[in-house]
Amino acid sequence: MAKSGGCMFKIGYFFYTRTRVGLIYHRREIAKARQKFPDGHSVVQVKHVGDIRVIPVPMLEDNYSYIITDKNDVTVVIDPGDPDPVLKELRERELTPSAILNTHKHWDHSGGNSLMKENFHKIPIYGGATDNIANVTHSVNDGDVLEFGSMKFTAKCTPGHTEGHVIYILSGGDQNADSIFSGDQLFPCRVWSYV
Ligand SMILES: [Zn+2]
């Protein structure tokens, strides 16, 4: 494997992030993961934070997308890298998303944007202003507040993993803790840097 920062890595990374080669590679990764984990890589539990539900959706070999709803079922999807398990979960729970939030441009976080858009016409897709994410319709900058139903997300720019990486902090209000959706800015015990 090419070393991060090396010439071969830079060329490979350029093709991965800037061309359809990256999307083709991503789709192969999805197919491989589906063979290995036909029912998803883990069984996860829905988390309740006051009236808000956070539904983790396992995808690929170790990624998660998140479906978040308020008490009136206003729904937001974060990082639909593989759209199929997200669409299945939405269908089974009879939810229609009002928005998609992307943390960064890598296909394993944003590769499902186009299919989500096909399924939910005119859905707004948010992402970091400098991250060049495919299919984003609304750019976000540091400190932007996004409100959907009773859910309030604050975007924080966290360059490092990618130049335009953004994390979203979901307010817990007066009664509950905030929740953070950190994309690839935090990993357990390892650091990847692809600026
Ligand atoms: Zn990433």
Side-chain angles (χ1 to χ4, degrees):
M1 188 177 177
K3 269 191 189 164
S4 174
C7 185
M8 289 307 289
F9 177 85
K10 282 182 179 159
I11 292 167
Y13 186 65
F14 174 86
F15 279 102
Y16 174 70
T17 55
R18 301 289 179 88
T19 72
R20 285 191 64 80
V21 171
L23 190 54
I24 291 163
Y25 172 81
H26 173 59
R27 286 183 179 147
R28 272 184 44 202
E29 292 297 295
I30 288 177
K32 261 167 46 186
R34 210 157 277 156
Q35 269 202 328
K36 195 167 168 186
F37 303 114
D39 300 317
H41 59 70
S42 56
V43 177
V44 291
Q45 291 185 337
V46 176
K47 174 125 178 114
H48 294 265
V49 186
D51 291 332
I52 291 173
R53 270 187 309 174
V54 179
I55 306 163
V57 182
M59 57 175 192
L60 289 151
E61 292 202 14
D62 57 4
N63 284 56
Y64 291 94
S65 177
Y66 297 92
I67 296 170
I68 306 158
T69 67
D70 75 358
K71 64 172 186 277
N72 297 317
D73 281 349
V74 174
T75 301
V76 168
V77 173
I78 296 187
D79 282 352
D82 177 359
D84 292 340
V86 175
L87 289 168
K88 181 170 177 272
E89 198 71 41
L90 289 168
R91 226 175 4 249
E92 284 176 3
R93 294 177 183 273
E94 299 182 347
L95 297 169
T96 302
S98 299
I100 293 169
L101 310 185
N102 285 145
T103 56
H104 65 296
K105 66 185 171 187
H106 291 160
W107 294 109
D108 57 335
H109 290 254
S110 64
N113 284 355
S114 59
L115 196 62
M116 295 296 287
K117 211 158 115 180
E118 273 178 39
N119 278 269
F120 306 104
H121 298 293
K122 296 190 177 165
I123 188 165
I125 304 178
Y126 295 81
T130 59
D131 220 28
N132 192 32
I133 303 171
N135 294 295
V136 157
T137 58
H138 292 62
S139 293
V140 296
N141 293 289
D142 192 55
D144 282 357
V145 174
L146 311 173
E147 295 191 54
F148 308 100
S150 61
M151 298 177 284
K152 189 165 113 179
F153 295 87
T154 303
K156 299 299 283 181
C157 290
T158 52
H161 179 72
T162 63
E163 191 179 343
H165 194 290
V166 170
I167 63 171
Y168 298 97
I169 299 166
L170 172 61
S171 172
D174 297 333
Q175 305 288 321
N176 299 290
D178 295 346
S179 305
I180 183 170
F181 297 90
S182 59
D184 280 351
Q185 201 61 27
L186 292 174
F187 285 106
C189 305
R190 62 178 178 170
V191 176
W192 294 99
S193 182
Y194 300 132
V195 177

